Amino acid sequence: GLIPENELSKTAGVDLHKKTGGPIVDEQMKTNVPGIFACGNVLHVHDLVDFVTEESQNAGNGAVRYLRDEVEEDKLCETAYIETLPLEGISYIMPQIIHMGQTTSKLVKLLFRVKQQYKNVKLIIKYGDTVLKVIKKDHLAPAEMESVLLVLHSNDTGSATEKMSPNTLSIEVMSQ
C-alpha cells in the first residue's frame, strides 16, 4: 500500500497513525499540535477526489474556527471525546477522535477501509457495547473508501460534560 509523506508532520511533532502513516486527527482534521490541520493524501491515501475535497473544506473550516478562537473542544479535550476503533475486518477509521464538547448532538462522517473483499455482509457501528447502526452491504473492497454518516447524541455517549474516559465508537464487519 501507499504511505503518505509526512516529514513535515514528524518535524512539527504531529502524532502519526500506525496504520495510515498520516496524522491522527479529530472531526475537524485537527492534529495534536495546536494550529496544525491535515487532509488529503498527507492524511491517508484516497481513491476519489470527492473525499479529498470534503476533507480540505473541513480542515479549512476547522482552521478558521481555531484562528477565531471558536473551538470549545480545545478547552474540553480532556473530558469529552470519543476514540474510533476499527474492529473485525476494518483496517482504519477516520477521524480517530471525535469531540462532543457541550453539544447535545453532533453529525459525524466516518471514513474507513476494510481489510479484504467481502460479499453480503453487514457493518455494525457501536458506541461501547451499544449498537447505533447496522448497514447491509453487498460488496466491500479494500481499494474503495467507505463512509457512514452518524448523528451522535449525548444520551448515546453519556453526558457531554462528564468525564468520558475515553469511550470508543467502533465499526466491524459481520456475516449476514
Side-chain angles (χ1 to χ4, degrees), residues 1 12 23 31 39 49 52 54 58 80-81 85 120 129 136 138 150 166:
T31 69
C39 61
V49 73
V52 176
E54 190 175 314
N58 195 11
Y81 70 97
L85 178 66
N120 301 315
D129 292 329
K136 292 183 180 182
D138 294 330
L150 294 175

Side-chain angles (χ1 to χ4, degrees), residues 7-125:
E7 284 307 311
L8 287 174
S9 299
K10 290 177 191 173
T11 302
V14 172
D15 291 340
L16 301 180
H17 191 268
K18 63 183 177 195
K19 178 66 180 171
T20 66
I24 295 172
V25 296
D26 69 6
E27 72 283 358
Q28 295 182 58
M29 305 291 130
K30 184 172 39 128
T31 69
N32 64 300
V33 178
I36 296 181
F37 295 75
C39 61
N41 284 340
V42 91
L43 189 58
H44 59 127
V45 176
H46 289 74
D47 50 342
L48 293 174
V49 73
D50 297 0
F51 292 126
V52 176
T53 302
E54 190 175 314
E55 280 179 7
S56 66
Q57 291 168 338
N58 195 11
N61 289 334
V64 167
R65 289 185 68 217
Y66 173 81
L67 292 171
R68 291 181 178 164
D69 198 27
E70 297 173 352
V71 185
E72 74 175 38
E73 290 88 355
D74 284 339
K75 301 170 184 100
L76 297 170
C77 66
E78 294 294 318
T79 58
Y81 70 97
I82 301 165
E83 290 185 9
T84 57
L85 178 66
L87 294 179
E88 184 66 34
I90 305 297
S91 183
Y92 68 88
I93 305 170
M94 303 293 294
Q96 293 92 356
I97 299 167
I98 301 166
H99 295 283
M100 285 303 292
Q102 295 181 344
T103 60
T104 56
S105 66
K106 184 171 221 164
L107 182 65
V108 177
K109 184 173 191 173
L110 301 176
L111 298 177
F112 60 95
R113 288 192 190 269
V114 293
K115 291 181 178 178
Q116 64 185 44
Q117 295 243 6
Y118 293 99
K119 290 185 186 273
N120 301 315
V121 294
K122 56 187 174 182
L123 295 168
I124 310 294
I125 296 102

